Amino acid sequence: MMRFRHQLSLTAKMGLTGRSSCGCYSLAKEDEMSDHIYKHIQLTGSSTKSSDEATRSAVKRAAKTVRGMRWFEVIETRGHIENGEVAHWQVTINVGFTLEE
């Protein structure tokens, strides 16, 4: 339940709406997907601040070299504990991007 709530809050911040039949989140109505072919890549972002920040850092870094990114799906969230405190977050995501013509 916690993972689901986390996905909903993160996807809302990034302009995404409910899940589609493929299990990924769909874009807001005005940004609806048309007939595209998507390729997936898997990324793992990390942060000392939060799981949201780890996700955002993975997307931001990929955006430097990957064009046409359209959606992401959180696959795994994990962290590192030091002295009884969360010291580091890692979030693994699948990212879908459109293939160029």
Side-chain angles (χ1 to χ4, degrees):
M1 185 64 162
M2 181 61 115
R3 180 177 175 200
F4 181 69
R5 258 186 266 145
H6 167 74
Q7 285 177 328
L8 287 179
S9 67
L10 186 59
T11 53
K13 289 177 188 175
M14 298 187 88
L16 301 175
T17 58
R19 278 188 184 265
S20 67
S21 60
C22 70
C24 56
Y25 285 90
S26 59
L27 299 170
K29 189 71 172 168
E30 62 274 5
D31 296 323
E32 233 175 73
M33 292 183 216
S34 58
D35 294 333
H36 293 292
I37 302 300
Y38 294 92
K39 179 159 180 66
H40 303 196
I41 57 173
Q42 194 170 84
L43 305 169
T44 301
S46 60
S47 170
T48 56
K49 296 178 183 175
S50 69
S51 58
D52 281 3
E53 185 64 31
T55 302
R56 291 175 189 283
S57 70
V59 170
K60 185 176 181 177
R61 174 59 186 89
K64 292 180 180 181
T65 57
V66 178
R67 293 184 302 275
M69 289 190 297
R70 298 289 184 249
W71 56 264
F72 73 94
E73 175 183 20
V74 175
I75 302 301
E76 183 178 27
T77 304
R78 60 185 172 273
H80 177 72
I81 300 170
E82 288 180 7
N83 301 319
E85 302 265 334
V86 174
H88 207 92
W89 293 88
Q90 286 187 325
V91 177
T92 301
I93 59 175
N94 279 338
V95 176
F97 59 96
T98 54
L99 298 175
E100 295 179 351
E101 296 293 324

